[in-house]
């Protein structure tokens, strides 16, 4: 464990807040600047060069990013592509020097649905097609993939198994999410973690009285994670109706 984590943990045990002298902060800042100029890859690239430039090169660990959009706007689809990019250690992120683990809280869709969509995109077929549910007007029936097509899909799907992506489908409260993150830290003590949540309001309440308090507490927990664990955190948020109202 790093000195920062040791000192942070000690402060927690003593029921006080962590204190750091500016000199230590300056040293860490200069070390970061020096590492960045060396050309070493310290973050994770996405497939979109415009996005990478917009966030100043790549997604950095210690960042908390919110992707918000209306229902049906493709937020989960976008998140799936980011998860795929972040674990592409043989391609766009081949120069990242650490093991990457994605801990994905899939509180909205079933993980099998997410993987099915990933596979369909990977082999350039529609989700309906690989699920044998694409309607064919000429035949007046749904398609049915052949044994050969299923074998091809299976061969391609095997490639996903090599990626360190772990799904949490059961919605939990913030205490349970904390325990899950701590468990994964013990399982992969040297890895860099990407935490994703789809989506924020589907987390269970603990003592929160409403959604606003839940979101506030969720933000506080994730801020602790990014500082204590050094995680890269990407959260999906759904914009509901009446978004222009002050309470929204």
């Amino acid at each position: 464990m790093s000195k920062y984590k040791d000192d942070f943990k000690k402060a927690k045990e003593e029921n006080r807040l962590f204190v750091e002298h500016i000199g230590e902060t300056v040293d860490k800042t200069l070390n970061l600047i020096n590492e960045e100029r060396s050309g070493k890859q310290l973050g994770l690239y996405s497939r979109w060069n415009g996005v990478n430039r917009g966030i100043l090169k790549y997604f950095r660990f210690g960042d908390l990013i919110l992707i918000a959009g209306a229902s049906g706007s493709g937020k989960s689809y976008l998140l799936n592509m980011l998860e795929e990019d972040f674990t592409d250690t043989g391609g766009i992120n081949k120069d990242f020097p650490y093991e990457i683990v994605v801990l994905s809280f899939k509180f909205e869709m079933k993980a099998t649905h997410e993987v099915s969509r990933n596979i369909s995109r990977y082999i350039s077929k529609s989700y309906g097609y690989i699920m044998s549910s694409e309607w064919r007007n000429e035949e007046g029936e749904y398609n049915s993939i052949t044994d050969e097509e299923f074998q091809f899909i299976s061969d391609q799907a095997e490639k996903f198994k090599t990626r360190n992506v772990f799904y949490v489908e059961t919605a939990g409260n913030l205490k349970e999410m904390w325990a899950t993150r701590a468990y994964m830290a013990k399982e992969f003590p040297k890895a860099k973690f990407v935490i994703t949540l789809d989506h924020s309001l589907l987390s269970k309440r603990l003592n929160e009285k409403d959604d606003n308090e839940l979101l506030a507490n969720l933000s506080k927990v994730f801020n602790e994670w990014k500082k204590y664990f050094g995680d890269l955190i990407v959260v999906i948020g759904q914009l509901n109706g009446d978004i222009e109202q002050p309470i929204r």
Side-chain angles (χ1 to χ4, degrees):
M1 182 177 285
S2 67
K3 183 179 183 299
Y4 176 86
K5 284 189 176 182
D6 284 335
D7 292 344
F8 190 97
K9 183 178 180 181
K10 184 179 179 181
K12 283 277 191 180
E13 291 171 347
E14 295 176 357
N15 198 31
R16 61 177 174 82
L17 299 178
F18 173 68
V19 178
E20 180 179 79
H21 186 264
I22 189 174
E24 295 180 79
T25 308
V26 168
D27 288 343
K28 289 194 298 185
T29 303
L30 291 175
N31 181 63
L32 178 61
I33 293 172
N34 192 41
E35 283 189 308
E36 286 284 4
R37 78 184 183 96
S38 72
K40 183 188 299 183
Q41 184 180 339
L42 302 179
L44 299 175
Y45 292 104
S46 75
R47 69 190 68 188
W48 304 289
N49 291 329
V51 171
N52 296 334
R53 289 193 294 268
I55 59 174
L56 300 180
K57 192 181 345 184
Y58 40 48
F59 292 79
R60 286 177 169 83
F61 289 86
D63 284 350
L64 172 55
I65 296 169
L66 171 66
I67 299 173
S71 177
S73 61
K75 303 180 299 300
S76 299
Y77 191 68
L78 173 63
L79 184 62
N80 282 340
M81 287 190 280
L82 284 175
E83 291 174 351
E84 186 177 334
D85 290 349
F86 294 159
T87 53
D88 186 11
T89 53
I92 58 176
N93 286 304
K94 60 181 174 56
D95 295 325
F96 189 71
Y98 302 100
E99 179 182 20
I100 300 169
V101 174
V102 173
L103 177 58
S104 183
F105 292 93
K106 296 289 186 186
F107 291 168
E108 183 171 33
M109 289 191 179
K110 286 180 64 64
T112 51
H113 290 171
E114 301 283 18
V115 172
S116 298
R117 297 201 303 180
N118 287 342
I119 292 172
S120 69
R121 184 176 65 250
Y122 193 70
I123 66 173
S124 300
K125 294 287 186 179
S126 72
Y127 174 80
Y129 184 87
I130 70 168
M131 298 302 293
S132 296
S133 58
E134 188 172 87
W135 180 253
R136 293 180 170 179
N137 288 325
E138 292 183 2
E139 292 84 354
E141 60 183 16
Y142 294 99
N143 78 297
S144 179
I145 60 174
T146 65
D147 291 342
E148 291 76 15
E149 287 177 314
F150 177 71
Q151 186 59 56
F152 174 73
I153 290 171
S154 299
D155 292 342
Q156 300 305 309
E158 285 294 318
K159 299 175 182 178
F160 287 86
K161 293 183 179 180
T162 62
R163 298 180 175 179
N164 280 338
V165 180
F166 295 86
Y167 295 126
V168 182
E169 289 190 275
T170 306
N173 58 46
L174 298 185
K175 184 177 180 180
E176 292 168 329
M177 292 173 69
W178 241 113
T180 304
R181 177 62 186 91
Y183 164 77
M184 293 299 291
K186 293 179 181 178
E187 292 292 303
F188 298 90
K190 296 182 179 180
K192 292 285 190 179
F193 274 79
V194 177
I195 308 295
T196 63
L197 171 59
D198 187 9
H199 61 78
S200 55
L201 284 177
L202 295 180
S203 304
K204 284 186 176 180
R205 296 181 192 174
L206 186 59
N207 299 313
E208 295 85 6
K209 66 179 183 295
D210 55 29
D211 287 344
N212 288 335
E213 187 175 358
L214 174 62
L215 289 177
N217 288 344
L218 183 67
S219 298
K220 293 172 186 175
V221 167
F222 281 168
N223 269 307
E224 281 201 69
W225 287 11
K226 75 176 188 178
K227 291 188 176 183
Y228 180 67
F229 293 114
D231 294 337
L232 164 58
I233 304 172
V234 184
V235 180
I236 293 296
Q238 182 161 303
L239 300 179
N240 296 321
D242 301 323
I243 190 62
E244 70 279 359
Q245 297 299 318
I247 194 171
R248 294 295 185 187

